[in-house]
Amino acid sequence: MRILLVGAGGVGTAAVRIAARRDFFNHMVVADYDPERARAAVGSVGDSRFVAARVDASDEAGVRELLASHRCDVLLNATDPRFVMPLFRAALDAGSHYLDMAMSLSRPHPERPYEECGVKLGDEQFALDEQWRDRGRLALVGMGVEPGLSDVFARYAADELFDEIEEIGVRDGADLVVDGYAFAPSFSIWTMIEECLNPPVVYEADRPPGRQWFTTEPFSEPEIFDFPEGIGPLECVNVEHEEVLLIPRRVEARRVTFKYGLGSEVIGTLGTLHRLGLDRTDPVAVGAVQVAPRDVVAACLPDPATLGERMRGRTCAGTWVKGSRAGIPRELYLYHVVDNQWSMSEYGSQAVVWQTAINPVIAMELMAENVWGGVGVLGPEALPPGPFLDRLASYGAPWGMREQ
């Protein structure tokens, strides 16, 4: 397998370090708008299979040329969601397979943003499903940790652990602390703002046809969820996330939600950014310069990839499932915990980016071995979960399951 990895930030660099220990590929181009970042990611592993390149992720022609010149079989997108569609289209036109960890952006309903969906996450990608099928290529979308591993957990629960499912709820929480910063997100603030301030989506199968997906106010339906392995109880709230759009396509459940343990401080900070208009992505004039307020916020905060040495604690991603087996009610939480001290000592990558990056690497390995495959635009819940979960343990990152 020959791979083009676009994006050499925290997740991209972690993917390089994870993939360097595997032998399923023979060539990986690590490309970034900043060539120094690409060279640093390649230099961190000292492996001749990796080469650095410069590319603008918004330049479809440039991406196609890079795919062709290196004869790449697959494009792995490790950029932020703004660049999903140009990279997605470039891979399609080049005849390559494609993976990403976040899907095409949503647009709220123009009149009823907190009641009805407008353009949903991933709609632009699924609209091109027929073209991917015609090309005989696979676009595996949402293949990070959340979405990604969380979808694999949902499919595994449906296949192996439940006869009927009442609710699937992805629940994310952490006890991570970044020393020396009053506010320092552990992943892209651009993405965090997008997820947390957009109207959250909920799925309910019993609603009228065409309206099973609906929206609510940001940070709605607060609940206390007790996370495993010592992280403990955290308040979780509804956040817009791809799992709610992906899982119901393949897994029967009456309700699907995503809730994130943000904490009152993060919620307050994001709310302030929104009230001040600093979450906007459309440029505003600052003297003679046009600048997007959200880009200014991102530039003022530390790069999450650089925070590992100051970070301590654990992060947990998981899928809570409520239903029945053989007529007996049950609740399970399938989860994956990464300790920052371990990921830093073992890979030199902080816990959140490492936990995200391992999943597309495993997926590509399964694709290279023809264990996972297919054509068209698919989410992780469309593929057999057992091989993925077995491989996760073989990578030294075992998952857990707790009876609630």
Side-chain angles (χ1 to χ4, degrees):
M1 175 178 276
R2 299 174 68 85
I3 302 164
L4 170 60
L5 166 63
V6 182
V11 173
T13 298
V16 166
R17 293 169 179 172
I18 294 165
R21 302 189 183 189
R22 313 298 292 191
D23 60 6
F24 68 89
F25 69 100
N26 54 16
H27 185 71
M28 183 183 291
V29 183
V30 182
D32 196 279
Y33 187 80
D34 180 352
E36 287 301 319
R37 290 211 307 182
R39 284 193 284 269
V42 169
S44 71
V45 294
D47 185 326
S48 61
R49 293 178 297 171
F50 295 85
V51 297
R54 184 191 181 278
V55 75
D56 181 343
S58 66
D59 178 7
E60 294 181 36
V63 174
R64 288 197 303 270
E65 182 179 341
L66 201 55
L67 284 164
S69 63
H70 287 270
R71 297 176 287 111
C72 292
D73 307 294
V74 60
L75 187 157
L76 171 57
N77 175 4
T79 65
D80 74 51
R82 287 174 291 180
F83 303 106
V84 162
M85 288 312 296
L87 292 173
F88 186 76
R89 288 189 295 258
L92 173 63
D93 291 343
S96 299
H97 300 297
Y98 170 90
L99 292 90
D100 63 32
M101 292 159 272
M103 296 173 66
S104 59
L105 293 170
S106 64
R107 292 191 294 277
H109 191 283
E111 286 118 25
R112 295 178 294 280
Y114 303 125
E115 299 171 34
E116 297 185 31
C117 296
V119 175
K120 301 188 298 299
L121 291 168
D123 275 357
E124 291 183 78
Q125 290 174 283
F126 281 110
L128 298 179
D129 174 64
E130 186 174 350
Q131 294 185 38
W132 282 89
R133 290 179 180 277
D134 289 345
R135 295 288 182 91
R137 293 294 181 265
L138 171 63
L140 180 53
V141 296
M143 191 60 252
V145 61
E146 293 172 338
L149 178 57
S150 50
D151 303 67
V152 174
F153 283 149
R155 176 65 184 269
Y156 182 76
D159 288 357
E160 305 291 340
L161 305 173
F162 289 83
D163 297 326
E164 293 187 13
I165 294 176
E166 179 180 334
E167 182 169 353
I168 295 173
V170 180
R171 298 294 183 264
D172 180 303
D175 61 2
L176 293 167
V177 175
V178 181
D179 294 326
Y181 289 97
F183 182 73
S186 57
F187 66 99
S188 164
I189 186 62
W190 203 101
T191 303
M192 177 179 278
I193 289 172
E194 186 72 19
E195 292 177 351
C196 296
L197 294 179
N198 277 354
V201 181
V202 175
Y203 173 84
E204 290 182 354
D206 295 337
R207 290 170 66 91
R211 301 194 63 182
Q212 287 96 341
W213 283 287
F214 63 97
T215 56
T216 72
E217 295 275 352
F219 315 126
S220 58
E221 298 183 3
E223 67 175 54
I224 301 297
F225 191 86
D226 187 15
F227 288 90
E229 300 193 19
I231 295 174
L234 295 172
E235 183 180 59
C236 295
V237 294
N238 278 328
V239 167
E240 182 190 47
H241 233 251
E242 288 92 340
E243 292 95 324
V244 179
L245 289 312
L246 287 172
I247 290 171
R249 290 173 173 267
R250 300 282 178 164
V251 178
E252 288 190 15
R254 295 189 186 96
R255 195 168 198 260
V256 181
T257 58
F258 179 97
K259 293 187 180 182
Y260 192 11
L262 291 170
S264 58
E265 181 182 359
V266 172
I267 291 173
T269 300
L270 293 173
T272 298
L273 292 175
H274 179 62
R275 286 190 293 273
L276 295 175
L278 294 174
D279 59 331
R280 292 168 53 187
T281 58
D282 51 309
V284 299
V286 182
V289 178
Q290 294 284 323
V291 60
R294 193 185 300 184
D295 289 340
V296 174
V297 173
C300 290
L301 289 171
D303 180 350
T306 67
L307 296 176
E309 297 292 347
R310 293 174 175 262
M311 190 181 290
R312 51 190 167 84
R314 295 147 295 182
T315 184
C316 178
T319 303
W320 163 75
V321 187
K322 179 181 180 181
S324 62
R325 181 69 178 261
I328 300 172
R330 76 183 315 192
E331 291 183 47
L332 296 174
Y333 183 57
L334 294 78
Y335 66 88
H336 187 249
V337 172
V338 177
D339 186 287
N340 188 72
Q341 182 179 2
W342 176 85
S343 65
M344 285 298 298
S345 63
E346 187 72 14
Y347 285 90
S349 296
Q350 57 103 319
V352 175
V353 300
W354 187 90
Q355 189 183 46
T356 304
I358 188 174
N359 298 287
V361 176
I362 293 175
M364 289 190 299
E365 183 168 279
L366 294 175
M367 290 167 62
E369 297 173 359
N370 295 314
V371 176
W372 269 15
V375 295
V377 182
L378 300 177
E381 66 289 329
L383 299 168
F388 188 95
L389 295 176
D390 290 344
R391 201 64 58 97
L392 193 66
S394 77
Y395 272 63
W399 59 283
M401 183 168 66
R402 182 183 67 188
E403 194 93 30
Q404 296 290 90

mmCIF file of all heavy atoms in Angstrom, residues 330-371:
data_model
loop_
_atom_site.group_PDB
_atom_site.id
_atom_site.type_symbol
_atom_site.label_atom_id
_atom_site.label_comp_id
_atom_site.label_asym_id
_atom_site.label_seq_id
_atom_site.Cartn_x
_atom_site.Cartn_y
_atom_site.Cartn_z
ATOM 1 N N ARG A 330 -30.339 -4.689 29.631
ATOM 2 C CA ARG A 330 -28.932 -4.523 29.970
ATOM 3 C C ARG A 330 -28.441 -3.164 29.460
ATOM 4 O O ARG A 330 -28.988 -2.599 28.517
ATOM 5 C CB ARG A 330 -28.084 -5.656 29.411
ATOM 6 C CG ARG A 330 -27.813 -5.584 27.934
ATOM 7 C CD ARG A 330 -27.027 -6.779 27.398
ATOM 8 N NE ARG A 330 -25.889 -7.168 28.204
ATOM 9 C CZ ARG A 330 -24.942 -8.032 27.804
ATOM 10 N NH1 ARG A 330 -25.005 -8.568 26.591
ATOM 11 N NH2 ARG A 330 -23.941 -8.340 28.584
ATOM 12 N N GLU A 331 -27.382 -2.673 30.106
ATOM 13 C CA GLU A 331 -26.689 -1.464 29.682
ATOM 14 C C GLU A 331 -25.189 -1.756 29.722
ATOM 15 O O GLU A 331 -24.691 -2.289 30.715
ATOM 16 C CB GLU A 331 -26.986 -0.282 30.608
ATOM 17 C CG GLU A 331 -28.400 0.253 30.535
ATOM 18 C CD GLU A 331 -28.570 1.464 31.437
ATOM 19 O OE1 GLU A 331 -27.699 2.367 31.393
ATOM 20 O OE2 GLU A 331 -29.557 1.500 32.191
ATOM 21 N N LEU A 332 -24.498 -1.385 28.664
ATOM 22 C CA LEU A 332 -23.059 -1.587 28.585
ATOM 23 C C LEU A 332 -22.378 -0.301 28.136
ATOM 24 O O LEU A 332 -22.963 0.492 27.386
ATOM 25 C CB LEU A 332 -22.715 -2.692 27.584
ATOM 26 C CG LEU A 332 -23.190 -4.117 27.877
ATOM 27 C CD1 LEU A 332 -22.872 -5.023 26.700
ATOM 28 C CD2 LEU A 332 -22.544 -4.654 29.144
ATOM 29 N N TYR A 333 -21.152 -0.120 28.580
ATOM 30 C CA TYR A 333 -20.319 0.965 28.074
ATOM 31 C C TYR A 333 -19.058 0.343 27.522
ATOM 32 O O TYR A 333 -18.275 -0.279 28.260
ATOM 33 C CB TYR A 333 -19.995 1.960 29.200
ATOM 34 C CG TYR A 333 -19.196 3.163 28.750
ATOM 35 C CD1 TYR A 333 -19.652 4.006 27.749
ATOM 36 C CD2 TYR A 333 -17.978 3.476 29.360
ATOM 37 C CE1 TYR A 333 -18.927 5.114 27.344
ATOM 38 C CE2 TYR A 333 -17.247 4.591 28.977
ATOM 39 C CZ TYR A 333 -17.727 5.409 27.964
ATOM 40 O OH TYR A 333 -16.999 6.512 27.566
ATOM 41 N N LEU A 334 -18.860 0.451 26.216
ATOM 42 C CA LEU A 334 -17.654 -0.030 25.547
ATOM 43 C C LEU A 334 -16.737 1.168 25.385
ATOM 44 O O LEU A 334 -17.163 2.211 24.866
ATOM 45 C CB LEU A 334 -17.993 -0.634 24.187
ATOM 46 C CG LEU A 334 -18.832 -1.917 24.179
ATOM 47 C CD1 LEU A 334 -20.307 -1.627 24.417
ATOM 48 C CD2 LEU A 334 -18.674 -2.655 22.851
ATOM 49 N N TYR A 335 -15.494 1.042 25.796
ATOM 50 C CA TYR A 335 -14.681 2.251 25.905
ATOM 51 C C TYR A 335 -13.205 1.983 25.616
ATOM 52 O O TYR A 335 -12.729 0.839 25.605
ATOM 53 C CB TYR A 335 -14.835 2.862 27.298
ATOM 54 C CG TYR A 335 -14.285 1.998 28.419
ATOM 55 C CD1 TYR A 335 -12.954 2.099 28.808
ATOM 56 C CD2 TYR A 335 -15.094 1.074 29.089
ATOM 57 C CE1 TYR A 335 -12.442 1.307 29.820
ATOM 58 C CE2 TYR A 335 -14.595 0.280 30.100
ATOM 59 C CZ TYR A 335 -13.266 0.401 30.469
ATOM 60 O OH TYR A 335 -12.759 -0.396 31.483
ATOM 61 N N HIS A 336 -12.489 3.103 25.434
ATOM 62 C CA HIS A 336 -11.052 3.078 25.195
ATOM 63 C C HIS A 336 -10.437 4.236 25.962
ATOM 64 O O HIS A 336 -10.838 5.386 25.771
ATOM 65 C CB HIS A 336 -10.780 3.218 23.695
ATOM 66 C CG HIS A 336 -9.359 3.042 23.312
ATOM 67 N ND1 HIS A 336 -8.568 4.079 22.845
ATOM 68 C CD2 HIS A 336 -8.550 1.951 23.318
ATOM 69 C CE1 HIS A 336 -7.362 3.629 22.569
ATOM 70 N NE2 HIS A 336 -7.322 2.349 22.847
ATOM 71 N N VAL A 337 -9.494 3.938 26.837
ATOM 72 C CA VAL A 337 -8.838 4.946 27.667
ATOM 73 C C VAL A 337 -7.359 5.018 27.296
ATOM 74 O O VAL A 337 -6.714 3.987 27.122
ATOM 75 C CB VAL A 337 -8.992 4.628 29.171
ATOM 76 C CG1 VAL A 337 -8.136 5.567 30.016
ATOM 77 C CG2 VAL A 337 -10.460 4.744 29.595
ATOM 78 N N VAL A 338 -6.841 6.231 27.179
ATOM 79 C CA VAL A 338 -5.411 6.434 26.937
ATOM 80 C C VAL A 338 -4.875 7.370 28.001
ATOM 81 O O VAL A 338 -5.445 8.448 28.243
ATOM 82 C CB VAL A 338 -5.142 7.023 25.536
ATOM 83 C CG1 VAL A 338 -3.643 7.283 25.344
ATOM 84 C CG2 VAL A 338 -5.649 6.081 24.450
ATOM 85 N N ASP A 339 -3.803 6.961 28.644
ATOM 86 C CA ASP A 339 -3.127 7.784 29.643
ATOM 87 C C ASP A 339 -2.049 8.614 28.940
ATOM 88 O O ASP A 339 -1.231 8.072 28.190
ATOM 89 C CB ASP A 339 -2.501 6.895 30.715
ATOM 90 C CG ASP A 339 -1.905 7.697 31.853
ATOM 91 O OD1 ASP A 339 -0.845 8.321 31.648
ATOM 92 O OD2 ASP A 339 -2.486 7.706 32.952
ATOM 93 N N ASN A 340 -2.057 9.921 29.188
ATOM 94 C CA ASN A 340 -1.120 10.798 28.494
ATOM 95 C C ASN A 340 0.335 10.447 28.801
ATOM 96 O O ASN A 340 1.192 10.538 27.924
ATOM 97 C CB ASN A 340 -1.392 12.255 28.868
ATOM 98 C CG ASN A 340 -0.580 13.214 28.028
ATOM 99 O OD1 ASN A 340 -0.839 13.400 26.849
ATOM 100 N ND2 ASN A 340 0.447 13.813 28.636
ATOM 101 N N GLN A 341 0.619 10.042 30.035
ATOM 102 C CA GLN A 341 1.996 9.687 30.376
ATOM 103 C C GLN A 341 2.469 8.514 29.518
ATOM 104 O O GLN A 341 3.607 8.497 29.033
ATOM 105 C CB GLN A 341 2.106 9.329 31.853
ATOM 106 C CG GLN A 341 3.515 9.001 32.299
ATOM 107 C CD GLN A 341 3.593 8.678 33.791
ATOM 108 O OE1 GLN A 341 2.591 8.667 34.494
ATOM 109 N NE2 GLN A 341 4.796 8.407 34.261
ATOM 110 N N TRP A 342 1.573 7.538 29.297
ATOM 111 C CA TRP A 342 1.933 6.385 28.467
ATOM 112 C C TRP A 342 2.146 6.795 27.013
ATOM 113 O O TRP A 342 3.154 6.429 26.391
ATOM 114 C CB TRP A 342 0.840 5.321 28.544
ATOM 115 C CG TRP A 342 1.116 4.166 27.627
ATOM 116 C CD1 TRP A 342 1.887 3.076 27.887
ATOM 117 C CD2 TRP A 342 0.647 4.021 26.275
ATOM 118 N NE1 TRP A 342 1.925 2.251 26.782
ATOM 119 C CE2 TRP A 342 1.176 2.798 25.787
ATOM 120 C CE3 TRP A 342 -0.164 4.791 25.450
ATOM 121 C CZ2 TRP A 342 0.911 2.340 24.502
ATOM 122 C CZ3 TRP A 342 -0.425 4.341 24.164
ATOM 123 C CH2 TRP A 342 0.110 3.125 23.705
ATOM 124 N N SER A 343 1.197 7.544 26.430
ATOM 125 C CA SER A 343 1.324 7.887 25.010
ATOM 126 C C SER A 343 2.532 8.776 24.752
ATOM 127 O O SER A 343 3.187 8.656 23.711
ATOM 128 C CB SER A 343 0.044 8.554 24.493
ATOM 129 O OG SER A 343 -0.188 9.795 25.125
ATOM 130 N N MET A 344 2.866 9.648 25.719
ATOM 131 C CA MET A 344 4.046 10.488 25.549
ATOM 132 C C MET A 344 5.323 9.667 25.643
ATOM 133 O O MET A 344 6.250 9.841 24.836
ATOM 134 C CB MET A 344 4.053 11.603 26.597
ATOM 135 C CG MET A 344 3.071 12.731 26.320
ATOM 136 S SD MET A 344 3.419 13.619 24.778
ATOM 137 C CE MET A 344 5.057 14.297 25.118
ATOM 138 N N SER A 345 5.384 8.771 26.616
ATOM 139 C CA SER A 345 6.608 7.986 26.785
ATOM 140 C C SER A 345 6.790 6.970 25.667
ATOM 141 O O SER A 345 7.913 6.682 25.231
ATOM 142 C CB SER A 345 6.603 7.271 28.139
ATOM 143 O OG SER A 345 5.537 6.338 28.209
ATOM 144 N N GLU A 346 5.679 6.430 25.149
ATOM 145 C CA GLU A 346 5.749 5.380 24.141
ATOM 146 C C GLU A 346 5.864 5.933 22.718
ATOM 147 O O GLU A 346 6.560 5.360 21.873
ATOM 148 C CB GLU A 346 4.499 4.500 24.255
ATOM 149 C CG GLU A 346 4.506 3.259 23.383
ATOM 150 C CD GLU A 346 5.472 2.190 23.854
ATOM 151 O OE1 GLU A 346 5.966 2.258 24.997
ATOM 152 O OE2 GLU A 346 5.745 1.271 23.053
ATOM 153 N N TYR A 347 5.175 7.057 22.450
ATOM 154 C CA TYR A 347 5.123 7.574 21.082
ATOM 155 C C TYR A 347 5.506 9.050 20.961
ATOM 156 O O TYR A 347 5.617 9.550 19.842
ATOM 157 C CB TYR A 347 3.710 7.402 20.510
ATOM 158 C CG TYR A 347 3.383 5.983 20.128
ATOM 159 C CD1 TYR A 347 2.807 5.103 21.048
ATOM 160 C CD2 TYR A 347 3.642 5.498 18.850
ATOM 161 C CE1 TYR A 347 2.490 3.799 20.702
ATOM 162 C CE2 TYR A 347 3.331 4.198 18.487
ATOM 163 C CZ TYR A 347 2.758 3.353 19.421
ATOM 164 O OH TYR A 347 2.451 2.061 19.076
ATOM 165 N N GLY A 348 5.633 9.744 22.069
ATOM 166 C CA GLY A 348 5.913 11.174 21.997
ATOM 167 C C GLY A 348 4.744 11.997 21.517
ATOM 168 O O GLY A 348 4.919 13.127 21.044
ATOM 169 N N SER A 349 3.535 11.471 21.637
ATOM 170 C CA SER A 349 2.314 12.169 21.214
ATOM 171 C C SER A 349 1.342 12.245 22.375
ATOM 172 O O SER A 349 1.185 11.262 23.123
ATOM 173 C CB SER A 349 1.642 11.434 20.043
ATOM 174 O OG SER A 349 2.460 11.438 18.896
ATOM 175 N N GLN A 350 0.688 13.403 22.509
ATOM 176 C CA GLN A 350 -0.271 13.528 23.609
ATOM 177 C C GLN A 350 -1.490 12.638 23.378
ATOM 178 O O GLN A 350 -1.783 12.210 22.261
ATOM 179 C CB GLN A 350 -0.648 14.997 23.844
ATOM 180 C CG GLN A 350 -1.221 15.738 22.654
ATOM 181 C CD GLN A 350 -2.717 15.919 22.716
ATOM 182 O OE1 GLN A 350 -3.421 15.019 23.108
ATOM 183 N NE2 GLN A 350 -3.185 17.093 22.318
ATOM 184 N N ALA A 351 -2.193 12.348 24.467
ATOM 185 C CA ALA A 351 -3.188 11.279 24.483
ATOM 186 C C ALA A 351 -4.317 11.465 23.477
ATOM 187 O O ALA A 351 -4.737 10.508 22.809
ATOM 188 C CB ALA A 351 -3.763 11.143 25.893
ATOM 189 N N VAL A 352 -4.850 12.678 23.354
ATOM 190 C CA VAL A 352 -6.022 12.882 22.503
ATOM 191 C C VAL A 352 -5.672 12.684 21.037
ATOM 192 O O VAL A 352 -6.407 12.012 20.293
ATOM 193 C CB VAL A 352 -6.630 14.278 22.748
ATOM 194 C CG1 VAL A 352 -7.769 14.545 21.776
ATOM 195 C CG2 VAL A 352 -7.128 14.394 24.187
ATOM 196 N N VAL A 353 -4.547 13.248 20.583
ATOM 197 C CA VAL A 353 -4.191 13.083 19.174
ATOM 198 C C VAL A 353 -3.769 11.641 18.889
ATOM 199 O O VAL A 353 -4.065 11.097 17.812
ATOM 200 C CB VAL A 353 -3.108 14.097 18.729
ATOM 201 C CG1 VAL A 353 -3.590 15.524 18.918
ATOM 202 C CG2 VAL A 353 -1.799 13.882 19.441
ATOM 203 N N TRP A 354 -3.101 10.996 19.831
ATOM 204 C CA TRP A 354 -2.701 9.607 19.618
ATOM 205 C C TRP A 354 -3.930 8.703 19.526
ATOM 206 O O TRP A 354 -4.017 7.841 18.646
ATOM 207 C CB TRP A 354 -1.788 9.134 20.749
ATOM 208 C CG TRP A 354 -1.215 7.771 20.495
ATOM 209 C CD1 TRP A 354 -0.041 7.481 19.859
ATOM 210 C CD2 TRP A 354 -1.812 6.512 20.825
ATOM 211 N NE1 TRP A 354 0.130 6.122 19.776
ATOM 212 C CE2 TRP A 354 -0.944 5.501 20.370
ATOM 213 C CE3 TRP A 354 -2.989 6.137 21.469
ATOM 214 C CZ2 TRP A 354 -1.214 4.149 20.523
ATOM 215 C CZ3 TRP A 354 -3.259 4.781 21.624
ATOM 216 C CH2 TRP A 354 -2.380 3.803 21.155
ATOM 217 N N GLN A 355 -4.895 8.914 20.430
ATOM 218 C CA GLN A 355 -6.107 8.089 20.427
ATOM 219 C C GLN A 355 -6.898 8.263 19.137
ATOM 220 O O GLN A 355 -7.542 7.322 18.667
ATOM 221 C CB GLN A 355 -6.986 8.439 21.630
ATOM 222 C CG GLN A 355 -8.160 7.498 21.826
ATOM 223 C CD GLN A 355 -9.038 7.924 22.977
ATOM 224 O OE1 GLN A 355 -9.382 9.096 23.117
ATOM 225 N NE2 GLN A 355 -9.419 6.976 23.827
ATOM 226 N N THR A 356 -6.846 9.443 18.558
ATOM 227 C CA THR A 356 -7.502 9.675 17.266
ATOM 228 C C THR A 356 -6.750 8.984 16.136
ATOM 229 O O THR A 356 -7.350 8.336 15.276
ATOM 230 C CB THR A 356 -7.601 11.182 16.989
ATOM 231 O OG1 THR A 356 -8.289 11.822 18.072
ATOM 232 C CG2 THR A 356 -8.320 11.454 15.679
ATOM 233 N N ALA A 357 -5.426 9.106 16.152
ATOM 234 C CA ALA A 357 -4.616 8.675 15.010
ATOM 235 C C ALA A 357 -4.519 7.167 14.856
ATOM 236 O O ALA A 357 -4.356 6.667 13.735
ATOM 237 C CB ALA A 357 -3.206 9.260 15.144
ATOM 238 N N ILE A 358 -4.619 6.425 15.932
ATOM 239 C CA ILE A 358 -4.421 4.982 15.820
ATOM 240 C C ILE A 358 -5.501 4.323 14.963
ATOM 241 O O ILE A 358 -5.252 3.340 14.256
ATOM 242 C CB ILE A 358 -4.356 4.314 17.217
ATOM 243 C CG1 ILE A 358 -3.950 2.848 17.066
ATOM 244 C CG2 ILE A 358 -5.664 4.457 17.970
ATOM 245 C CD1 ILE A 358 -3.714 2.134 18.374
ATOM 246 N N ASN A 359 -6.698 4.890 14.960
ATOM 247 C CA ASN A 359 -7.829 4.233 14.296
ATOM 248 C C ASN A 359 -7.734 4.222 12.771
ATOM 249 O O ASN A 359 -7.939 3.169 12.154
ATOM 250 C CB ASN A 359 -9.131 4.860 14.790
ATOM 251 C CG ASN A 359 -9.298 4.659 16.278
ATOM 252 O OD1 ASN A 359 -9.586 3.570 16.736
ATOM 253 N ND2 ASN A 359 -9.089 5.713 17.048
ATOM 254 N N PRO A 360 -7.412 5.327 12.097
ATOM 255 C CA PRO A 360 -7.240 5.217 10.645
ATOM 256 C C PRO A 360 -6.049 4.365 10.241
ATOM 257 O O PRO A 360 -6.066 3.749 9.172
ATOM 258 C CB PRO A 360 -7.065 6.680 10.199
ATOM 259 C CG PRO A 360 -6.639 7.418 11.412
ATOM 260 C CD PRO A 360 -7.314 6.718 12.556
ATOM 261 N N VAL A 361 -5.026 4.307 11.085
ATOM 262 C CA VAL A 361 -3.886 3.444 10.763
ATOM 263 C C VAL A 361 -4.330 1.981 10.776
ATOM 264 O O VAL A 361 -4.014 1.206 9.862
ATOM 265 C CB VAL A 361 -2.717 3.684 11.739
ATOM 266 C CG1 VAL A 361 -1.575 2.703 11.457
ATOM 267 C CG2 VAL A 361 -2.206 5.118 11.626
ATOM 268 N N ILE A 362 -5.083 1.592 11.800
ATOM 269 C CA ILE A 362 -5.602 0.222 11.843
ATOM 270 C C ILE A 362 -6.507 -0.039 10.644
ATOM 271 O O ILE A 362 -6.437 -1.102 10.003
ATOM 272 C CB ILE A 362 -6.357 -0.036 13.157
ATOM 273 C CG1 ILE A 362 -5.396 -0.001 14.348
ATOM 274 C CG2 ILE A 362 -7.095 -1.372 13.110
ATOM 275 C CD1 ILE A 362 -6.083 -0.118 15.694
ATOM 276 N N ALA A 363 -7.369 0.930 10.326
ATOM 277 C CA ALA A 363 -8.278 0.754 9.189
ATOM 278 C C ALA A 363 -7.508 0.538 7.897
ATOM 279 O O ALA A 363 -7.867 -0.331 7.079
ATOM 280 C CB ALA A 363 -9.199 1.967 9.072
ATOM 281 N N MET A 364 -6.453 1.307 7.677
ATOM 282 C CA MET A 364 -5.659 1.127 6.454
ATOM 283 C C MET A 364 -4.986 -0.232 6.439
ATOM 284 O O MET A 364 -4.868 -0.865 5.378
ATOM 285 C CB MET A 364 -4.632 2.248 6.323
ATOM 286 C CG MET A 364 -5.236 3.602 5.977
ATOM 287 S SD MET A 364 -4.003 4.867 5.539
ATOM 288 C CE MET A 364 -3.047 4.981 7.059
ATOM 289 N N GLU A 365 -4.527 -0.711 7.590
ATOM 290 C CA GLU A 365 -3.923 -2.036 7.642
ATOM 291 C C GLU A 365 -4.937 -3.105 7.267
ATOM 292 O O GLU A 365 -4.624 -4.031 6.498
ATOM 293 C CB GLU A 365 -3.355 -2.292 9.042
ATOM 294 C CG GLU A 365 -2.642 -3.625 9.173
ATOM 295 C CD GLU A 365 -1.844 -3.722 10.459
ATOM 296 O OE1 GLU A 365 -0.718 -3.189 10.505
ATOM 297 O OE2 GLU A 365 -2.355 -4.325 11.440
ATOM 298 N N LEU A 366 -6.165 -2.987 7.776
ATOM 299 C CA LEU A 366 -7.208 -3.951 7.434
ATOM 300 C C LEU A 366 -7.569 -3.871 5.952
ATOM 301 O O LEU A 366 -7.857 -4.899 5.321
ATOM 302 C CB LEU A 366 -8.451 -3.709 8.301
ATOM 303 C CG LEU A 366 -8.285 -3.980 9.802
ATOM 304 C CD1 LEU A 366 -9.550 -3.583 10.553
ATOM 305 C CD2 LEU A 366 -7.960 -5.454 10.064
ATOM 306 N N MET A 367 -7.552 -2.659 5.395
ATOM 307 C CA MET A 367 -7.802 -2.508 3.959
ATOM 308 C C MET A 367 -6.678 -3.143 3.146
ATOM 309 O O MET A 367 -6.926 -3.826 2.140
ATOM 310 C CB MET A 367 -7.948 -1.026 3.610
ATOM 311 C CG MET A 367 -9.220 -0.388 4.145
ATOM 312 S SD MET A 367 -9.197 1.430 4.036
ATOM 313 C CE MET A 367 -9.069 1.679 2.259
ATOM 314 N N ALA A 368 -5.434 -2.942 3.562
ATOM 315 C CA ALA A 368 -4.288 -3.496 2.833
ATOM 316 C C ALA A 368 -4.331 -5.018 2.824
ATOM 317 O O ALA A 368 -3.869 -5.656 1.859
ATOM 318 C CB ALA A 368 -2.988 -3.000 3.463
ATOM 319 N N GLU A 369 -4.873 -5.611 3.883
ATOM 320 C CA GLU A 369 -4.951 -7.060 3.996
ATOM 321 C C GLU A 369 -6.261 -7.625 3.454
ATOM 322 O O GLU A 369 -6.528 -8.818 3.601
ATOM 323 C CB GLU A 369 -4.772 -7.465 5.460
ATOM 324 C CG GLU A 369 -3.399 -7.097 6.025
ATOM 325 C CD GLU A 369 -3.297 -7.356 7.516
ATOM 326 O OE1 GLU A 369 -4.302 -7.807 8.123
ATOM 327 O OE2 GLU A 369 -2.217 -7.106 8.085
ATOM 328 N N ASN A 370 -7.103 -6.749 2.863
ATOM 329 C CA ASN A 370 -8.407 -7.149 2.324
ATOM 330 C C ASN A 370 -9.334 -7.735 3.371
ATOM 331 O O ASN A 370 -10.224 -8.539 3.058
ATOM 332 C CB ASN A 370 -8.232 -8.138 1.157
ATOM 333 C CG ASN A 370 -7.535 -7.515 -0.034
ATOM 334 O OD1 ASN A 370 -7.871 -6.405 -0.437
ATOM 335 N ND2 ASN A 370 -6.561 -8.220 -0.579
ATOM 336 N N VAL A 371 -9.130 -7.342 4.618
ATOM 337 C CA VAL A 371 -10.047 -7.729 5.691
ATOM 338 C C VAL A 371 -11.229 -6.756 5.731
ATOM 339 O O VAL A 371 -12.371 -7.157 5.939
ATOM 340 C CB VAL A 371 -9.313 -7.747 7.050
ATOM 341 C CG1 VAL A 371 -10.276 -8.055 8.193
ATOM 342 C CG2 VAL A 371 -8.178 -8.765 7.015
#
